[in-house]
Amino acid sequence: MIDCLNVARYFIMKAYEDGLEAEMTNMKVQKLLYYAQSLHLALYDEPLFEEEIQAWRYGPVCPRAYGFYSDFEAQQLPIPRKESLLQLPSDKKELLEEVWEYFGGYHAYLLSDMTHGEFPWKKTRKGLPPDASSTEPILLDDMKALGCQKLDLIERENPAYKTAMSEALKDSFAAKSLNRIEKGEVRDWLNSLLD
């Protein structure tokens, strides 16, 4: 597992690289941490980072990362030192890049709205008024299930998906199978059972 603050630093660095630094607030970092954890759980069946994510009023929050950036509230977060990103293994960077590609362009408030509509946050906050505080952790199994849903959505929205599926279907219809059922075989089989 890696440090949640290094994951946060990665997303902040990406925002600066992509010219989105003005939108990179603590709220946005929290939602990106949540989606990174969810997708990692779905892909590898283990957490990306150790720290829990809680169902706070404005969506999922990693308390350690939130506390680290709390002085900035809704302000732009400072650019991290590149040395802090050297500790990220390349396979983790690939996952974080995918998370950034898919979710990084969304504004913090839209990400918050998205998390409010998803079952892990709603399930954890069940019975609480909308403005109530909570430090209840979101279950890893629930985040993993959400990650599986998101992976499916990300795959389907990929421009290559339709072409790949179309080719796979063509290949399967064109293939001559030794086990292919011929016309009348099912009827003959059913009649043999009745005799």
Side-chain angles (χ1 to χ4, degrees):
M1 283 190 261
I2 58 180
D3 187 334
C4 69
L5 295 178
N6 284 338
V7 176
R9 289 178 185 117
Y10 178 86
F11 291 132
I12 296 166
M13 185 68 76
K14 290 300 293 180
Y16 275 87
E17 288 174 4
D18 292 355
L20 299 173
E21 65 274 6
E23 293 180 14
M24 188 49 83
T25 61
N26 198 354
M27 180 188 280
K28 184 167 181 170
V29 166
Q30 298 308 313
K31 307 317 170 241
L32 293 172
L33 286 170
Y34 172 69
Y35 285 125
Q37 184 77 300
S38 296
L39 291 173
H40 193 274
L41 284 161
L43 287 168
Y44 302 106
D45 199 28
E46 65 181 24
L48 175 64
F49 50 85
E50 185 178 339
E51 293 79 10
E52 70 182 15
I53 295 181
Q54 299 174 350
W56 286 19
R57 177 181 174 189
Y58 294 110
V61 170
C62 176
R64 179 166 174 244
Y66 182 85
F68 188 82
Y69 292 110
S70 64
D71 289 345
F72 297 94
E73 288 299 319
Q75 299 172 24
Q76 174 182 328
L77 300 176
I79 190 167
R81 293 189 336 258
K82 287 193 178 199
E83 298 82 48
S84 63
L85 301 179
L86 296 175
Q87 299 172 16
L88 290 174
S90 60
D91 62 325
K92 304 303 181 206
K93 282 183 186 176
E94 286 178 28
L95 171 74
L96 298 179
E97 179 65 28
E98 291 297 320
V99 172
W100 178 256
E101 286 296 316
Y102 195 78
F103 297 103
Y106 292 116
H107 191 277
Y109 290 110
L110 180 56
L111 288 170
S112 182
D113 286 347
M114 286 167 53
T115 63
H116 282 218
E118 295 163 347
F119 78 93
W121 183 84
K122 288 166 59 171
K123 177 182 169 187
T124 306
R125 289 189 56 88
K126 188 175 182 174
L128 289 175
D131 60 345
S133 295
S134 173
T135 58
E136 199 62 36
I138 298 175
L139 298 176
L140 292 178
D141 285 342
D142 291 343
M143 283 191 282
K144 179 181 175 180
L146 175 69
C148 290
Q149 289 177 357
K150 293 294 181 188
L151 285 173
D152 185 54
L153 183 64
I154 290 167
E155 183 178 274
R156 289 176 188 274
E157 289 182 0
N158 186 313
Y161 179 80
K162 283 186 179 180
T163 304
M165 289 305 293
S166 177
E167 289 301 314
L169 286 172
K170 278 187 212 173
D171 290 347
S172 68
F173 285 125
K176 295 285 184 196
S177 172
L178 297 176
N179 297 327
R180 188 171 280 190
I181 297 173
E182 299 295 327
K183 185 176 180 178
E185 277 188 80
V186 173
R187 184 189 64 231
D188 293 345
W189 175 74
L190 287 172
N191 286 334
S192 73
L193 293 175
L194 296 174
D195 291 338

